[in-house]
Amino acid sequence: MTSQSFDLSFDVVVIGGGHAGCEAAAAAARTGARTALLTHAFATVGAMSCNPAIGGIGKGHLVREIDAMGGLMGEVADAAGIQFRLLNRSKGPAVRGPRTQADRKLYREAMQAAIRGQANLEIVEGDAADLVLGEDGTRVAGVELADGRRIAAGAVVITSGTFLNGLIHMGDRRIPAGRIGEAPSTGLSAALARLGLKLGRLKTGTPARLDGRTIDWASLDRQAADADPVPFSYLTTRIANPQIECGITRTTPETHRIIRDSLHLSALYSGAIEGVGPRYCPSIEDKIVKFGERDGHQVFLEPEGLDDDTVYPNGLSTSLPETVQEAFLRSMPGLERVSILKAGYAIEYDHVDPRELRATLETRACAGLFLAGQINGTTGYEEAGAQGLLAGLNAARRAGGAEPVTISRSDAYLGVMVDDLTRTGVSEPYRMFTSRAEFRLSLRADNADRRLTPLGLELGLVGETRARVFAETETALAAARQTLEALSLTPTEAGRAGLQVNGDGRRRSAWTLLSQPGTDLQRLSAIWPQLADIPPKLAERVEIEAGYDVYLDRQRRDQERLRRDEARTIPADFDFAGLKGLSNELRQKLVQRRPASIAEAEGIDGMTPAALALVLVALRRGALTHAA
C-alpha cells in the first residue's frame, strides 16, 4: 500500500488516551519517534475512570519503575496527590508501597499538560475503526478511522482499556459504552479477531459516586495523610497540595440483608455478565455472598478533589439497580441521608489472551502491532502505565529498525508482570502484588532508579534533568558508603559504645554495623559525628542499602538455586492435597493441573515463591526418605 493511500503518516500511532496510552505515546516520542496519540477526545486524556488513586502494594513499585525510566505517572501523581500514605510503613522496605488519593481534575490537567509538552508527539482526535495491514497481511501498516481517514504507521500500539466492545451493566440495563457516557470501540475487536488473536471477556466495576455534602462526617472515623508525604517521582522535592482526610464506615447486617434480597436484580448474579471480574477487587455483591459471615466490611470514603464534593466509596463496586444502591448505602453509618451523584455499574469488555504476545508486548500474529493495558487482561492504572511504557518503547524501536527490548523479572516488577502475562495468561484480571516477585528484596520501590534509570538512559527514555539527578544521587550514595566502610570498631570498642557484636576480635565497619537490626545513622553519629552531615533523605537510602546488603547476597544464591530447581521433576503420585502450608486456592490448582516439574508449577497463575518452596522441601524430604 503506497503512502498516497494515507492522510497522515507517523512512526508510531498509539490508540487510546488512558494511562497505558499516555505512557506509550510519551515513551515512543521520547526516543525520537514521530508519534500520534489517537483518542476520541483530548479532553478525556488522563481521566481516572475508577478510583482516583495511584499506587499501593506492588502498584507503587510499578509507578516508581515508570518514573525511573522517564515516564509520566509518578510526576503527575505528585502534582495531583491530596492524601499521600506509605503503606506497610511498619514492615520492611521491600514491601512498602507508596500511594496517594488524587484530585481527579488536577491529575487530568497535569497529564494533559505533560502530553502537550512532549516533543515529537501529536494529538489526533478520532475513532479507530480498523487496522490497515501491509500487502502480505502479516505486518501492520496503519490505522483507519471511523470518518474514513487513514494514518500510516511503522508500528501501532492499542491501549483500548474497557472500550473494546465495552458494555455497562446496571441492574437489568445494558448500555454499550467504554466508560459512562462514552461510546465503545467495536471495529478493533473485529480487526483483532481477523488476525486470529484469541479474545476473551473480562469484567470490572465501579461504585456509586456520593455527594459529600450529604455525608455525616462528624460521626465517622477518619484516616489522615502521612505527616511526611513520600512522593512517587525521584524528581519531586516536595508535595505542594494540601492533604485531606478520608472517612471510614462499614456495611451493617441491614446492608447485607438488602443486598441478599436484591441479588436477583444484580447483573453479576442474574447471568447477564459473561466476563470474569477481579478477585482482589470484588463487587459488594460478591463480598456478601462469599464472606457473608462477617459482621461488616470496611468502606473508605475518599474525596475526589480539593474543590469537588464528589466522594468515592472504596469497596462498594456494584451492578445493582440505582434504587437498591441508594437503599444499601443509607443503611451504613454516616450515610443515612446520602445522595448519589452517579450510580455504580459493572462493565465487561474484550481482551486479548496475553499469551498471544511476545515479551516485548508485540503480537505474534502481526509484526508492528503492540498491545498494552487492560486489553492484555490486567486491571489498574499502574499495570496499564507500565505496560504502555514498554510497548511504546518497543513500537518506536520496531518502527526505527532497532532490536526490541525485554525486561527480566529479576530486574523489575514490570518484568514480572509481562512474564506472568505472556507465559501463563490470565483467568481473571491481573493485579500486581509484591508476592508475585521471587526477588522482591532487590526489587524495592526505593531503588527503582538504581535498577532502571541506567537502562532508560541507554535507550533514550531519560531526559537531561533526570540524568543529572540520578548521577548526583549515585555519587552521594557511593561517597556515603565509602565513608562508612572507612570507619570501623573492634568488638570491645563497639561494646563500650553500646553496640552488641560477636566478640571475635574482628573489626567491623560502620557499613556493617548499619546492617544490624536497631542500628541507624543517628546512633552511629554518636560515635562518628561526621555521619550526622549526611542529609536525611540520603541517610534513609543508605540505611536501606546497608540493611539489605547481606540478604541480597543470599538472594543471588537463591536465584541460582531456583534456576537449578526449575528443572526438578515432580512424581506423578505427589500428594499436593496433603501438602501443609499452601493456600486453598493454590492447593486446588496444583491438584487440578498436576504439574510434572517445578517449572510447570511456577507457570501456574497465582503461584508464589513461598508455595514453590513448600513443594521443593517436600520433594527433598521424599528423596531423602527413598535414599534411606
Side-chain angles (χ1 to χ4, degrees), residues 12 60 115 263 410 416 473 495 504 506 624:
V12 175
I115 292 295
L263 283 176
S410 64
V416 172
T473 300
D504 53 11
R506 183 170 57 87
L624 289 172

Side-chain angles (χ1 to χ4, degrees), residues 214-288:
T214 63
I215 294 174
D216 181 10
W217 295 101
S219 69
L220 297 173
D221 290 335
R222 308 298 282 269
Q223 182 184 69
D226 287 346
D228 54 338
V230 176
F232 285 101
S233 178
Y234 292 97
L235 300 186
T236 301
T237 56
R238 61 181 291 270
I239 300 301
N241 289 331
Q243 298 295 287
I244 63 163
E245 291 184 335
C246 293
I248 303 174
T249 186
R250 293 182 69 83
T251 60
T252 65
E254 177 64 7
T255 312
H256 297 191
R257 184 197 65 76
I258 293 169
I259 292 171
R260 283 197 195 96
D261 290 349
S262 305
L263 283 176
H264 63 288
L265 301 175
S266 166
L268 184 63
Y269 281 89
S270 69
I273 293 179
E274 303 171 24
V276 180
R279 185 188 340 164
Y280 303 105
C281 187
S283 67
I284 188 60
E285 295 99 295
D286 263 341
K287 290 180 182 178
I288 301 310

Side-chain angles (χ1 to χ4, degrees), residues 34-45:
R34 290 184 56 255
T35 305
L37 178 58
L38 174 60
T39 179
H40 287 105
F42 183 72
T44 63
V45 164

Side-chain angles (χ1 to χ4, degrees), residues 404-450:
V405 173
T406 58
I407 307 292
S408 168
R409 66 184 298 127
S410 64
D411 292 333
Y413 275 89
L414 169 56
V416 172
M417 173 174 60
V418 172
D419 184 56
D420 286 348
L421 292 171
T422 58
R423 188 162 50 88
T424 65
V426 295
S427 56
E428 61 191 48
Y430 178 100
R431 178 176 178 174
M432 179 50 69
F433 292 105
T434 53
S435 60
R436 295 189 186 273
E438 301 92 329
F439 308 116
R440 57 184 175 274
L441 294 186
S442 57
L443 304 186
R444 306 187 308 274
D446 65 89
N447 71 352
D449 58 340
R450 306 198 77 188

Side-chain angles (χ1 to χ4, degrees), residues 188-470:
L188 285 179
S189 277
L192 295 170
R194 285 197 302 273
L195 288 172
L197 295 172
K198 182 181 177 183
L199 300 178
R201 202 80 171 143
L202 290 175
K203 167 258 175 188
T204 189
T206 192
R209 302 306 196 273
L210 311 180
D211 186 340
R213 295 166 297 185
T214 63
I215 294 174
D216 181 10
W217 295 101
S219 69
L220 297 173
D221 290 335
R222 308 298 282 269
Q223 182 184 69
D226 287 346
D228 54 338
V230 176
F232 285 101
S233 178
Y234 292 97
L235 300 186
T236 301
T237 56
R238 61 181 291 270
I239 300 301
N241 289 331
Q243 298 295 287
I244 63 163
E245 291 184 335
C246 293
I248 303 174
T249 186
R250 293 182 69 83
T251 60
T252 65
E254 177 64 7
T255 312
H256 297 191
R257 184 197 65 76
I258 293 169
I259 292 171
R260 283 197 195 96
D261 290 349
S262 305
L263 283 176
H264 63 288
L265 301 175
S266 166
L268 184 63
Y269 281 89
S270 69
I273 293 179
E274 303 171 24
V276 180
R279 185 188 340 164
Y280 303 105
C281 187
S283 67
I284 188 60
E285 295 99 295
D286 263 341
K287 290 180 182 178
I288 301 310
V289 170
K290 296 176 180 177
F291 309 104
E293 74 281 358
R294 296 188 184 176
D295 61 355
H297 295 270
Q298 195 171 58
V299 176
F300 290 90
L301 301 174
E302 301 174 333
E304 293 199 351
L306 295 172
D307 59 355
D308 187 347
D309 293 314
T310 307
V311 172
Y312 182 98
N314 195 342
L316 292 178
S317 170
T318 183
S319 63
L320 285 163
E322 185 170 357
T323 53
V324 179
Q325 293 182 41
E326 182 178 87
F328 77 64
L329 282 163
R330 290 188 172 186
S331 70
M332 298 166 61
L335 304 183
E336 292 85 355
R337 295 179 178 80
V338 76
S339 294
I340 293 176
L341 297 176
K342 186 187 297 182
Y345 59 85
I347 182 168
E348 54 179 342
Y349 54 92
D350 287 349
H351 79 100
V352 172
D353 185 335
R355 289 172 294 187
E356 303 274 8
L357 304 175
R358 305 182 190 280
T360 60
L361 297 184
E362 184 177 29
T363 61
R364 298 178 187 276
C366 183
L369 178 62
F370 296 79
L371 309 180
Q374 284 178 285
I375 192 173
N376 291 338
T378 60
T379 181
Y381 307 147
E382 304 83 0
E383 291 88 346
Q387 290 173 72
L389 186 145
L390 181 62
L393 166 66
N394 278 322
R397 294 178 71 82
R398 163 64 81 175
E403 286 296 311
V405 173
T406 58
I407 307 292
S408 168
R409 66 184 298 127
S410 64
D411 292 333
Y413 275 89
L414 169 56
V416 172
M417 173 174 60
V418 172
D419 184 56
D420 286 348
L421 292 171
T422 58
R423 188 162 50 88
T424 65
V426 295
S427 56
E428 61 191 48
Y430 178 100
R431 178 176 178 174
M432 179 50 69
F433 292 105
T434 53
S435 60
R436 295 189 186 273
E438 301 92 329
F439 308 116
R440 57 184 175 274
L441 294 186
S442 57
L443 304 186
R444 306 187 308 274
D446 65 89
N447 71 352
D449 58 340
R450 306 198 77 188
R451 291 185 282 115
L452 294 173
T453 299
L455 177 62
L457 283 163
E458 179 185 333
L459 297 172
L461 287 169
V462 172
E464 291 182 6
T465 300
R466 187 176 301 277
R468 175 180 53 76
V469 170
F470 175 70

Side-chain angles (χ1 to χ4, degrees), residues 39-181:
T39 179
H40 287 105
F42 183 72
T44 63
V45 164
M48 306 181 87
S49 304
C50 196
N51 186 10
I54 295 291
I57 308 301
K59 290 172 174 282
H61 292 68
L62 286 173
V63 181
R64 284 280 177 82
E65 292 178 354
I66 292 169
D67 184 73
M69 296 184 75
L72 308 178
M73 186 175 283
E75 288 187 87
V76 170
D78 288 344
I82 55 177
Q83 199 212 38
F84 281 85
R85 295 181 63 240
L86 184 62
L87 307 185
N88 279 350
R89 187 184 282 267
S90 63
K91 298 183 180 180
V95 294
R96 291 175 190 163
R99 181 190 188 274
T100 187
Q101 188 71 13
D103 182 303
R104 190 184 295 277
K105 182 182 72 173
L106 291 178
Y107 190 95
R108 185 178 66 249
E109 290 175 349
M111 183 61 78
Q112 290 178 5
I115 292 295
R116 283 196 204 95
Q118 177 61 58
N120 303 316
L121 180 55
E122 184 175 328
I123 306 299
V124 178
E125 292 189 326
D127 179 15
D130 203 353
L131 296 172
V132 180
L133 302 182
E135 292 180 1
D136 63 359
T138 63
R139 180 184 177 88
V140 73
V143 181
E144 183 174 321
L145 276 58
D147 61 12
R149 287 179 294 166
R150 286 188 164 200
I151 306 175
V156 173
V157 185
I158 300 179
T159 68
S160 49
T162 58
F163 279 75
L164 210 60
N165 271 347
L167 182 64
I168 283 176
H169 296 263
M170 193 184 301
D172 60 359
R173 293 174 63 195
R174 311 285 182 273
I175 308 167
R179 193 161 46 209
I180 196 75

